[in-house]
Amino acid sequence: MDSVETLAIDPIEFETIDLQKYNTPEPIQREAISREELRKLFDGMTSYRNRLFAITDAETGLRNSDLRSIRNSDIDFENLFIHIPDPKNSKPYDVPISAELRFELRQWLDHHRGGYATASNSSYLFPS
């Protein structure tokens, strides 16, 4: 039998909470950037590393801290996913990637990453 997580509070009780008592900021209205804006952002980057970092982030939606902590061994090129072993406030999970991103990551590892001085001493995908 699978373990089941239960809520510590009845969701119906949330309706009785008076939010006026709490000093919370107003919600921010956000709008996703367009593909054209995203393309301009990527094209404006002069560093292959930073461009691939941003592309990986845009495709996976990972938090900055999770993206920075990806190790080479976390990428499953055959099954097209990146394993996130220690996400902030969450359990480990896998994020799917496209065949195009797999190609770019393979190119990075095989041809570009080694050009960074810290690459030989680092297991991280994007050494700083």
Side-chain angles (χ1 to χ4, degrees):
M1 182 194 264
D2 294 339
S3 74
V4 177
E5 294 183 21
T6 58
L7 293 173
I9 186 170
D10 182 358
I12 303 289
E13 289 183 38
F14 283 120
E15 293 178 7
T16 64
I17 297 173
D18 181 10
L19 296 178
Q20 300 301 321
K21 290 196 255 179
Y22 302 96
N23 185 13
T24 57
E26 290 297 317
I28 299 171
Q29 295 295 326
R30 298 178 187 196
E31 185 177 320
I33 63 174
S34 69
R35 287 184 181 270
E36 181 61 27
E37 291 169 323
L38 199 55
R39 175 64 49 213
K40 286 180 182 178
L41 173 68
F42 296 155
D43 289 346
M45 295 181 171
T46 57
S47 162
Y48 185 83
R49 175 197 177 276
N50 293 346
R51 184 174 184 272
L52 183 55
F53 188 91
I55 289 170
T56 303
D57 186 39
E59 180 169 319
T60 62
L62 291 171
R63 294 175 183 271
N64 187 323
S65 60
D66 292 337
L67 189 61
R68 286 183 287 116
S69 65
I70 296 172
R71 296 181 186 272
N72 299 338
S73 60
D74 293 332
I75 304 170
D76 186 329
F77 289 101
E78 184 176 323
N79 296 305
L80 295 173
F81 70 81
I82 298 174
H83 181 67
I84 309 303
D86 191 26
K88 181 179 178 182
N89 301 323
S90 184
K91 296 178 182 175
Y93 62 96
D94 297 332
V95 176
I97 59 172
S98 65
E100 292 82 6
L101 182 56
R102 171 183 57 188
F103 175 80
E104 292 293 336
L105 292 173
R106 179 57 47 209
Q107 287 291 106
W108 165 250
L109 289 171
D110 292 346
H111 303 290
H112 299 281
R113 184 179 177 279
Y116 284 80
T118 59
S120 61
N121 298 328
S122 175
S123 63
Y124 292 100
L125 177 63
F126 298 108
S128 51

